[in-house]
Amino acid sequence: DIELEAVHQAMNPSKGPGQSMKSEKRKINGPLYCSKAGSRLRSTFEHFVTTFIAPHVYEQTGYRNIFFQAQPCLRFSPPAKLRIGRPHYDRMYHHQRGQINFWIPLTSAYGTNSLWIESEPEKEDFHPLELTYGQLARFYGNGCSHFTLPNSTPDTRVSLDLRVVPGPCFDAEALESKGVDGFPLFKVGGYYGEACIDDNGEWRIVPGTVNYSHDLVE
């Protein structure tokens, strides 16, 4: 068994750490949710959405439904001399403006192994998210630039992240979220699932809105 912080030791030795971990991320994320072994992860994730994410958004906004990324993305940042990815905000990848991000480290996140963000769009006061397992961060990734640096620590950072749109903020026909063919890139029942609060005050996943077989989209 290998601790998550040392998972880079099991990477493909023919590739550099960054290249190998990025390819492994793509291999892992898709099959992860569709596999038989992924059933526990799926139920745990949906429980997390209905017991923490949705109630948190409701507490902050009063909105009684949310649209959430049905497949949270598992990401790796191994010790490396090169960064993985580039500075960006999610609007660059056609995500709609009402969307917010939740970032959940599965290992200690600190210094150059963490995600770096700015506190407000274009403020450029970049800082790392310093978190441990059991903590999470919420930020406006649609407008705030974020990125990783070359990880000079000895530890791989492993994290999950998902994007959420509070119900009334969701725009199924958002122009910025349409492809060249004019059709939405992120649909409910595909990229998004929906959760709503019932008359008894319980949050539930709306039947038919969660699909774990769709292709992973950044």
Coordinates of all heavy atoms in Angstrom, one line a residue, residues 99-183:
Q99 N -21.5 30.1 -11.5 CA -20.9 28.9 -10.9 C -19.9 29.2 -9.9 O -19.1 30.2 -10.0 CB -20.3 28.2 -12.1 CG -19.8 26.8 -11.8 CD -19.4 26.1 -13.0 OE1 -20.2 25.3 -13.6 NE2 -18.3 26.4 -13.5
I100 N -19.9 28.4 -8.8 CA -18.8 28.6 -7.7 C -18.1 27.2 -7.6 O -18.6 26.2 -8.1 CB -19.4 29.0 -6.4 CG1 -20.6 28.1 -6.0 CG2 -19.9 30.4 -6.4 CD1 -21.2 28.4 -4.6
N101 N -17.0 27.3 -7.0 CA -16.1 26.1 -6.9 C -15.9 25.7 -5.4 O -15.8 26.5 -4.5 CB -14.7 26.4 -7.4 CG -14.7 26.8 -8.9 OD1 -15.4 27.7 -9.3 ND2 -14.0 26.1 -9.7
F102 N -15.9 24.3 -5.2 CA -15.6 23.8 -3.9 C -14.4 22.9 -4.1 O -14.4 22.0 -5.0 CB -16.7 22.9 -3.3 CG -17.9 23.8 -2.9 CD1 -18.9 24.2 -3.7 CD2 -18.0 24.2 -1.5 CE1 -20.0 24.9 -3.3 CE2 -19.0 25.0 -1.1 CZ -20.0 25.3 -2.0
W103 N -13.3 23.1 -3.3 CA -12.0 22.4 -3.5 C -11.7 21.6 -2.2 O -11.7 22.2 -1.1 CB -11.0 23.4 -3.8 CG -9.7 22.9 -4.3 CD1 -9.4 22.5 -5.6 CD2 -8.5 22.7 -3.5 NE1 -8.1 22.1 -5.6 CE2 -7.5 22.2 -4.4 CE3 -8.1 22.9 -2.2 CZ2 -6.2 21.9 -4.0 CZ3 -6.8 22.6 -1.8 CH2 -5.9 22.1 -2.7
I104 N -11.6 20.3 -2.3 CA -11.5 19.4 -1.2 C -10.2 18.6 -1.2 O -10.1 17.7 -2.0 CB -12.7 18.5 -1.2 CG1 -14.0 19.3 -1.3 CG2 -12.7 17.6 0.1 CD1 -15.0 18.7 -2.3
P105 N -9.2 19.0 -0.4 CA -8.0 18.2 -0.4 C -8.1 16.9 0.3 O -8.8 16.8 1.3 CB -7.0 19.1 0.3 CG -7.8 19.9 1.3 CD -9.1 20.1 0.5
L106 N -7.5 15.8 -0.3 CA -7.5 14.5 0.4 C -6.2 14.2 1.1 O -6.0 13.2 1.7 CB -7.8 13.4 -0.7 CG -9.1 13.6 -1.5 CD1 -9.3 12.5 -2.5 CD2 -10.3 13.7 -0.5
T107 N -5.2 15.1 0.9 CA -4.0 15.1 1.6 C -3.7 16.6 2.0 O -4.5 17.5 1.7 CB -2.8 14.7 0.6 OG1 -2.8 15.6 -0.5 CG2 -3.0 13.3 0.1
S108 N -2.6 16.8 2.8 CA -2.3 18.1 3.2 C -2.0 19.0 2.0 O -1.2 18.6 1.1 CB -1.1 18.1 4.2 OG -1.5 17.5 5.4
A109 N -2.6 20.1 1.9 CA -2.3 21.1 0.8 C -1.6 22.3 1.4 O -2.1 23.0 2.3 CB -3.6 21.5 0.2
Y110 N -0.4 22.5 0.9 CA 0.4 23.6 1.5 C 1.5 24.1 0.4 O 1.9 23.3 -0.4 CB 1.1 23.2 2.8 CG 2.1 22.1 2.6 CD1 3.5 22.4 2.4 CD2 1.7 20.7 2.5 CE1 4.4 21.3 2.2 CE2 2.7 19.7 2.3 CZ 4.0 20.0 2.2 OH 4.9 19.0 2.0
G111 N 1.9 25.3 0.5 CA 2.9 25.8 -0.3 C 2.7 25.5 -1.8 O 1.6 25.7 -2.3
T112 N 3.8 25.1 -2.4 CA 3.7 24.9 -3.9 C 3.0 23.6 -4.3 O 2.8 23.4 -5.5 CB 5.1 24.8 -4.5 OG1 5.9 23.8 -3.8 CG2 5.8 26.2 -4.3
N113 N 2.5 22.8 -3.4 CA 1.8 21.6 -3.8 C 0.3 21.9 -3.9 O -0.5 21.1 -4.4 CB 2.0 20.4 -3.0 CG 1.2 20.3 -1.7 OD1 0.4 21.1 -1.4 ND2 1.5 19.3 -0.9
S114 N -0.1 23.1 -3.5 CA -1.5 23.5 -3.4 C -2.0 24.2 -4.6 O -1.3 24.5 -5.5 CB -1.8 24.3 -2.1 OG -3.2 24.4 -1.9
L115 N -3.3 24.6 -4.6 CA -3.9 25.4 -5.6 C -3.7 26.9 -5.2 O -4.0 27.2 -4.0 CB -5.4 25.1 -5.8 CG -6.1 25.9 -6.8 CD1 -5.7 25.5 -8.2 CD2 -7.7 25.7 -6.7
W116 N -3.3 27.7 -6.1 CA -3.1 29.2 -5.8 C -4.3 29.9 -6.4 O -4.7 29.7 -7.6 CB -1.8 29.6 -6.4 CG -0.6 29.2 -5.6 CD1 -0.2 27.8 -5.4 CD2 0.3 29.9 -4.8 NE1 0.9 27.8 -4.6 CE2 1.2 29.0 -4.2 CE3 0.5 31.3 -4.6 CZ2 2.3 29.5 -3.4 CZ3 1.5 31.7 -3.8 CH2 2.4 30.8 -3.2
I117 N -4.9 30.9 -5.7 CA -6.0 31.6 -6.1 C -5.9 33.1 -5.8 O -5.0 33.4 -4.9 CB -7.3 31.1 -5.5 CG1 -7.4 31.3 -4.0 CG2 -7.5 29.6 -5.8 CD1 -8.7 31.0 -3.4
E118 N -6.7 33.9 -6.4 CA -6.8 35.3 -6.0 C -8.1 35.5 -5.3 O -9.1 34.7 -5.6 CB -6.7 36.3 -7.2 CG -7.7 36.0 -8.3 CD -7.5 36.9 -9.5 OE1 -6.8 37.9 -9.4 OE2 -8.1 36.7 -10.6
S119 N -8.2 36.5 -4.4 CA -9.4 36.6 -3.6 C -10.6 37.3 -4.3 O -11.7 37.0 -4.0 CB -9.1 37.4 -2.3 OG -8.6 38.7 -2.7
E120 N -10.3 38.1 -5.4 CA -11.3 38.7 -6.2 C -10.8 38.7 -7.6 O -9.6 38.7 -7.8 CB -11.5 40.2 -5.7 CG -12.1 40.3 -4.3 CD -12.2 41.7 -3.9 OE1 -12.1 42.6 -4.8 OE2 -12.3 42.0 -2.7
P121 N -11.7 38.8 -8.6 CA -11.3 38.8 -10.0 C -10.3 40.0 -10.2 O -10.6 41.1 -9.8 CB -12.6 39.0 -10.7 CG -13.6 38.3 -9.9 CD -13.2 38.7 -8.5
E122 N -9.2 39.7 -10.9 CA -8.2 40.7 -11.3 C -7.5 41.4 -10.1 O -6.7 42.3 -10.3 CB -8.8 41.7 -12.2 CG -9.4 41.1 -13.5 CD -10.0 42.2 -14.4 OE1 -9.9 43.4 -14.1 OE2 -10.5 41.8 -15.5
K123 N -7.6 40.9 -8.9 CA -6.9 41.5 -7.8 C -5.5 41.0 -7.7 O -4.6 41.7 -7.2 CB -7.6 41.1 -6.5 CG -7.1 42.0 -5.3 CD -8.0 41.8 -4.1 CE -7.6 42.7 -3.0 NZ -8.4 42.7 -1.8
E124 N -5.2 39.8 -8.2 CA -3.8 39.3 -8.3 C -3.1 39.2 -7.0 O -1.9 39.2 -6.9 CB -3.0 40.1 -9.3 CG -3.6 40.1 -10.7 CD -2.7 40.7 -11.8 OE1 -1.7 41.3 -11.4 OE2 -3.1 40.7 -13.0
D125 N -3.9 39.0 -5.9 CA -3.3 38.7 -4.6 C -3.1 37.2 -4.3 O -3.7 36.7 -3.4 CB -4.1 39.4 -3.5 CG -5.5 39.0 -3.5 OD1 -6.0 38.4 -4.5 OD2 -6.2 39.2 -2.5
F126 N -2.4 36.6 -5.2 CA -2.4 35.1 -5.2 C -1.8 34.5 -3.9 O -0.8 35.0 -3.4 CB -1.6 34.6 -6.4 CG -2.2 35.0 -7.7 CD1 -1.6 36.0 -8.5 CD2 -3.4 34.5 -8.2 CE1 -2.2 36.4 -9.7 CE2 -4.0 34.9 -9.3 CZ -3.4 35.8 -10.1
H127 N -2.5 33.5 -3.5 CA -2.0 32.8 -2.3 C -2.4 31.3 -2.4 O -3.4 31.0 -3.0 CB -2.6 33.4 -1.0 CG -4.1 33.4 -1.0 ND1 -4.9 34.3 -1.7 CD2 -5.0 32.6 -0.4 CE1 -6.2 34.1 -1.6 NE2 -6.3 33.0 -0.8
P128 N -1.7 30.4 -1.7 CA -2.1 29.0 -1.7 C -3.2 28.7 -0.8 O -3.3 29.4 0.3 CB -0.8 28.3 -1.3 CG -0.1 29.3 -0.4 CD -0.4 30.6 -1.0
L129 N -4.0 27.7 -1.1 CA -5.0 27.2 -0.1 C -4.3 26.3 0.8 O -3.8 25.2 0.4 CB -6.1 26.5 -0.9 CG -7.0 27.4 -1.8 CD1 -7.9 26.5 -2.6 CD2 -7.8 28.4 -1.0
E130 N -4.2 26.7 2.1 CA -3.5 25.9 3.1 C -4.5 25.2 3.9 O -5.1 25.7 4.8 CB -2.6 26.9 4.0 CG -1.6 27.7 3.3 CD -0.3 27.1 3.2 OE1 -0.1 26.0 3.8 OE2 0.6 27.7 2.5
L131 N -4.7 23.9 3.5 CA -5.7 23.1 4.1 C -5.2 21.7 4.4 O -4.2 21.2 3.9 CB -6.9 23.0 3.2 CG -7.6 24.3 2.7 CD1 -8.6 24.0 1.6 CD2 -8.3 24.9 3.9
T132 N -5.9 21.0 5.3 CA -5.6 19.6 5.6 C -6.8 18.8 5.3 O -7.9 19.3 5.1 CB -5.2 19.4 7.1 OG1 -6.3 19.9 8.0 CG2 -4.0 20.3 7.5
Y133 N -6.6 17.5 5.4 CA -7.8 16.5 5.1 C -8.9 16.8 6.1 O -8.7 17.0 7.3 CB -7.3 15.1 5.3 CG -8.4 14.1 5.2 CD1 -8.9 13.8 3.9 CD2 -8.9 13.4 6.3 CE1 -9.9 12.8 3.8 CE2 -9.9 12.4 6.1 CZ -10.4 12.2 4.9 OH -11.3 11.2 4.7
G134 N -10.1 16.9 5.6 CA -11.3 17.3 6.4 C -11.7 18.7 6.3 O -12.8 19.1 6.8
Q135 N -10.9 19.5 5.6 CA -11.2 20.9 5.3 C -11.5 21.1 3.8 O -11.2 20.2 3.0 CB -10.1 21.9 5.7 CG -9.8 21.8 7.2 CD -8.6 22.8 7.6 OE1 -7.6 22.7 6.9 NE2 -8.8 23.6 8.6
L136 N -12.2 22.2 3.5 CA -12.4 22.5 2.1 C -12.4 24.0 1.9 O -12.5 24.8 2.9 CB -13.7 21.9 1.6 CG -15.0 22.2 2.2 CD1 -15.6 23.6 1.8 CD2 -16.1 21.2 1.8
A137 N -12.4 24.5 0.7 CA -12.4 25.9 0.3 C -13.5 26.1 -0.7 O -13.8 25.2 -1.6 CB -11.1 26.4 -0.2
R138 N -14.2 27.3 -0.6 CA -15.1 27.7 -1.6 C -14.6 29.0 -2.3 O -14.1 29.9 -1.5 CB -16.5 28.0 -1.0 CG -17.6 28.3 -2.0 CD -18.8 29.0 -1.3 NE -18.4 30.3 -0.9 CZ -19.0 31.0 0.2 NH1 -19.9 30.4 0.9 NH2 -18.6 32.2 0.5
F139 N -14.6 29.1 -3.6 CA -14.1 30.3 -4.2 C -14.8 30.5 -5.6 O -15.4 29.5 -6.1 CB -12.6 30.3 -4.4 CG -12.0 29.3 -5.3 CD1 -11.6 29.6 -6.6 CD2 -11.9 27.9 -5.0 CE1 -11.1 28.7 -7.5 CE2 -11.3 27.0 -5.8 CZ -11.0 27.4 -7.1
Y140 N -14.7 31.7 -6.1 CA -15.3 32.0 -7.4 C -14.4 31.7 -8.5 O -13.8 32.7 -9.1 CB -15.8 33.4 -7.4 CG -16.6 33.8 -8.6 CD1 -17.7 33.0 -9.0 CD2 -16.3 35.0 -9.3 CE1 -18.4 33.4 -10.2 CE2 -17.0 35.3 -10.5 CZ -18.1 34.5 -10.9 OH -18.8 34.9 -12.0
G141 N -14.2 30.5 -8.9 CA -13.3 30.1 -9.9 C -13.7 30.5 -11.3 O -12.8 30.5 -12.2
N142 N -14.9 30.9 -11.5 CA -15.3 31.4 -12.8 C -14.7 32.7 -13.2 O -14.4 32.9 -14.4 CB -16.9 31.5 -12.8 CG -17.4 31.7 -14.2 OD1 -17.6 32.9 -14.7 ND2 -17.6 30.7 -15.0
G143 N -14.4 33.5 -12.2 CA -13.9 34.9 -12.5 C -12.5 35.1 -11.8 O -11.8 36.0 -12.2
C144 N -12.2 34.3 -10.8 CA -10.9 34.4 -10.1 C -9.8 33.5 -10.7 O -10.1 32.3 -10.8 CB -11.0 34.1 -8.6 SG -12.0 35.4 -7.7
S145 N -8.7 34.0 -11.1 CA -7.7 33.2 -11.7 C -7.1 32.2 -10.6 O -7.0 32.6 -9.5 CB -6.5 34.1 -12.2 OG -5.5 33.3 -12.8
H146 N -6.8 31.0 -11.1 CA -6.2 30.0 -10.2 C -5.3 29.2 -11.0 O -5.4 29.0 -12.2 CB -7.3 29.2 -9.4 CG -8.4 28.7 -10.3 ND1 -9.4 29.5 -10.8 CD2 -8.6 27.4 -10.7 CE1 -10.2 28.7 -11.6 NE2 -9.7 27.4 -11.5
F147 N -4.3 28.6 -10.3 CA -3.3 27.8 -11.0 C -2.5 27.0 -9.9 O -2.6 27.1 -8.7 CB -2.3 28.7 -11.7 CG -1.7 29.8 -10.8 CD1 -0.6 29.6 -10.1 CD2 -2.3 31.1 -10.8 CE1 0.0 30.6 -9.3 CE2 -1.8 32.1 -10.0 CZ -0.6 31.8 -9.2
T148 N -1.6 26.1 -10.5 CA -0.7 25.4 -9.6 C 0.7 25.9 -10.0 O 0.9 26.5 -11.1 CB -0.7 23.9 -9.8 OG1 -0.4 23.6 -11.2 CG2 -2.1 23.3 -9.5
L149 N 1.7 25.7 -9.1 CA 3.1 26.0 -9.3 C 3.8 24.6 -9.4 O 3.3 23.6 -9.0 CB 3.6 26.8 -8.2 CG 3.1 28.2 -8.1 CD1 3.6 28.9 -6.8 CD2 3.5 29.1 -9.3
P150 N 5.1 24.6 -9.9 CA 5.9 23.4 -9.8 C 6.0 23.0 -8.3 O 6.3 23.8 -7.5 CB 7.2 23.9 -10.4 CG 6.9 25.0 -11.3 CD 5.8 25.7 -10.6
N151 N 5.6 21.8 -8.1 CA 5.6 21.3 -6.7 C 6.9 21.0 -6.2 O 7.5 20.0 -6.5 CB 4.6 20.1 -6.6 CG 4.5 19.5 -5.2 OD1 5.1 20.1 -4.3 ND2 3.7 18.5 -5.1
S152 N 7.5 21.9 -5.3 CA 8.8 21.7 -4.8 C 8.8 21.0 -3.4 O 9.8 20.8 -2.8 CB 9.5 23.0 -4.7 OG 8.8 23.9 -3.8
T153 N 7.6 20.6 -3.0 CA 7.5 19.9 -1.7 C 7.8 18.4 -2.0 O 7.7 17.9 -3.1 CB 6.1 20.0 -1.1 OG1 5.2 19.1 -1.7 CG2 5.6 21.4 -1.1
P154 N 8.0 17.6 -0.9 CA 8.2 16.1 -1.1 C 6.9 15.4 -1.3 O 6.9 14.1 -1.6 CB 8.9 15.7 0.1 CG 8.4 16.6 1.2 CD 8.2 18.0 0.5
D155 N 5.7 16.1 -1.2 CA 4.4 15.4 -1.2 C 3.6 15.6 -2.4 O 3.4 16.8 -2.8 CB 3.6 15.8 0.1 CG 4.4 15.5 1.4 OD1 5.0 14.4 1.5 OD2 4.3 16.3 2.3
T156 N 2.9 14.6 -2.9 CA 1.9 14.8 -3.9 C 0.6 15.3 -3.2 O 0.3 14.8 -2.1 CB 1.6 13.4 -4.6 OG1 2.7 13.1 -5.5 CG2 0.3 13.5 -5.4
R157 N 0.0 16.3 -3.8 CA -1.3 16.7 -3.3 C -2.4 16.1 -4.1 O -2.3 16.1 -5.4 CB -1.4 18.2 -3.4 CG -2.8 18.8 -2.8 CD -3.7 19.1 -3.9 NE -3.2 20.1 -4.8 CZ -3.6 20.3 -6.0 NH1 -4.5 19.6 -6.6 NH2 -3.0 21.3 -6.8
V158 N -3.3 15.4 -3.5 CA -4.5 14.8 -4.1 C -5.7 15.6 -3.6 O -5.9 15.8 -2.4 CB -4.6 13.3 -3.8 CG1 -5.7 12.7 -4.6 CG2 -3.3 12.6 -4.1
S159 N -6.6 15.9 -4.6 CA -7.8 16.7 -4.2 C -8.9 16.4 -5.1 O -8.8 15.9 -6.2 CB -7.5 18.2 -4.2 OG -7.0 18.6 -5.5
L160 N -10.1 16.7 -4.6 CA -11.3 16.6 -5.4 C -11.9 18.1 -5.5 O -11.7 18.9 -4.6 CB -12.4 15.8 -4.7 CG -12.3 14.3 -4.7 CD1 -13.4 13.7 -3.7 CD2 -12.6 13.8 -6.1
D161 N -12.5 18.4 -6.7 CA -13.1 19.6 -6.8 C -14.4 19.5 -7.6 O -14.5 18.6 -8.4 CB -12.2 20.7 -7.4 CG -11.7 20.3 -8.8 OD1 -12.5 20.5 -9.8 OD2 -10.6 19.8 -8.9
L162 N -15.4 20.3 -7.3 CA -16.6 20.3 -8.0 C -17.1 21.7 -8.1 O -16.8 22.6 -7.3 CB -17.7 19.4 -7.3 CG -18.3 19.9 -6.0 CD1 -19.7 19.4 -5.9 CD2 -17.5 19.4 -4.8
R163 N -18.0 21.9 -9.2 CA -18.6 23.2 -9.4 C -20.0 23.1 -9.2 O -20.7 22.1 -9.4 CB -18.3 23.6 -10.9 CG -16.8 23.7 -11.2 CD -16.6 24.0 -12.7 NE -15.2 24.2 -13.0 CZ -14.4 23.3 -13.6 NH1 -15.0 22.1 -14.0 NH2 -13.1 23.5 -13.9
V164 N -20.6 24.2 -8.6 CA -22.0 24.3 -8.2 C -22.6 25.6 -8.7 O -21.9 26.6 -8.6 CB -22.1 24.2 -6.6 CG1 -23.5 24.4 -6.2 CG2 -21.5 22.8 -6.2
V165 N -23.8 25.5 -9.1 CA -24.6 26.7 -9.5 C -25.9 26.8 -8.6 O -26.7 25.9 -8.7 CB -25.0 26.7 -11.0 CG1 -25.7 28.1 -11.3 CG2 -23.8 26.5 -11.9
P166 N -26.0 27.8 -7.8 CA -27.3 27.9 -7.0 C -28.5 28.0 -8.0 O -28.4 28.7 -9.0 CB -27.1 29.3 -6.3 CG -25.6 29.4 -6.1 CD -25.0 28.8 -7.4
G167 N -29.6 27.4 -7.6 CA -30.7 27.2 -8.6 C -31.1 28.4 -9.4 O -31.0 28.3 -10.7
P168 N -31.5 29.5 -8.9 CA -31.9 30.7 -9.7 C -30.8 31.3 -10.6 O -31.1 32.0 -11.5 CB -32.4 31.7 -8.7 CG -32.8 30.9 -7.5 CD -31.8 29.8 -7.4
C169 N -29.6 31.0 -10.2 CA -28.4 31.5 -11.0 C -28.1 30.6 -12.2 O -27.4 31.0 -13.1 CB -27.2 31.6 -10.1 SG -27.3 32.6 -8.7
F170 N -28.7 29.4 -12.3 CA -28.5 28.5 -13.4 C -29.1 29.0 -14.7 O -30.3 29.3 -14.7 CB -28.9 27.1 -13.0 CG -28.6 26.1 -14.1 CD1 -27.3 25.6 -14.1 CD2 -29.5 25.6 -15.0 CE1 -27.0 24.6 -15.1 CE2 -29.2 24.7 -15.9 CZ -27.9 24.2 -16.0
D171 N -28.4 29.0 -15.8 CA -28.9 29.4 -17.1 C -28.6 28.3 -18.1 O -27.5 28.1 -18.5 CB -28.2 30.7 -17.5 CG -28.7 31.2 -18.8 OD1 -29.6 30.6 -19.4 OD2 -28.3 32.3 -19.3
A172 N -29.6 27.5 -18.4 CA -29.5 26.4 -19.3 C -29.1 26.8 -20.7 O -28.6 26.0 -21.5 CB -30.8 25.5 -19.3
E173 N -29.3 28.1 -21.0 CA -29.0 28.6 -22.4 C -27.9 29.6 -22.3 O -27.9 30.5 -23.3 CB -30.3 29.1 -23.0 CG -31.4 28.1 -23.2 CD -31.0 27.1 -24.2 OE1 -30.3 27.4 -25.1 OE2 -31.5 25.9 -24.0
A174 N -27.1 29.6 -21.3 CA -26.0 30.6 -21.3 C -25.1 30.6 -22.5 O -24.7 29.5 -22.9 CB -25.1 30.3 -20.0
L175 N -25.0 31.7 -23.1 CA -24.3 31.8 -24.4 C -22.8 31.4 -24.2 O -22.3 30.7 -25.1 CB -24.3 33.3 -24.9 CG -25.6 33.8 -25.4 CD1 -25.6 35.2 -25.8 CD2 -26.2 32.9 -26.6
E176 N -22.2 31.7 -23.1 CA -20.8 31.3 -22.9 C -20.6 29.8 -22.7 O -19.5 29.3 -22.8 CB -20.2 32.1 -21.7 CG -20.8 31.7 -20.4 CD -21.9 32.6 -19.9 OE1 -22.6 33.2 -20.8 OE2 -22.1 32.7 -18.7
S177 N -21.7 29.1 -22.5 CA -21.6 27.7 -22.3 C -22.1 26.8 -23.5 O -22.4 25.6 -23.3 CB -22.4 27.3 -21.0 OG -21.9 27.9 -19.9
K178 N -22.2 27.5 -24.6 CA -22.6 26.7 -25.8 C -21.4 26.5 -26.7 O -20.4 27.2 -26.8 CB -23.6 27.5 -26.6 CG -25.0 27.6 -25.9 CD -26.0 28.3 -26.7 CE -27.4 28.3 -26.0 NZ -28.5 28.9 -26.8
G179 N -21.5 25.3 -27.4 CA -20.4 25.0 -28.4 C -20.6 25.7 -29.7 O -21.5 26.5 -29.9
V180 N -19.7 25.4 -30.6 CA -19.8 26.0 -32.0 C -21.0 25.6 -32.7 O -21.5 26.4 -33.6 CB -18.5 25.6 -32.8 CG1 -17.3 26.2 -32.2 CG2 -18.4 24.1 -32.9
D181 N -21.7 24.5 -32.3 CA -22.9 24.1 -32.9 C -24.1 24.8 -32.3 O -25.3 24.6 -32.8 CB -23.1 22.6 -32.9 CG -23.0 22.0 -31.5 OD1 -23.0 22.9 -30.5 OD2 -23.1 20.8 -31.3
G182 N -23.9 25.6 -31.3 CA -25.0 26.3 -30.7 C -25.7 25.6 -29.5 O -26.6 26.1 -28.9
F183 N -25.3 24.3 -29.3 CA -25.9 23.5 -28.2 C -25.1 23.6 -26.9 O -23.9 23.8 -26.9 CB -26.0 22.1 -28.7 CG -27.0 21.8 -29.8 CD1 -26.5 21.7 -31.1 CD2 -28.3 21.7 -29.5 CE1 -27.4 21.5 -32.1 CE2 -29.2 21.5 -30.5 CZ -28.8 21.4 -31.8

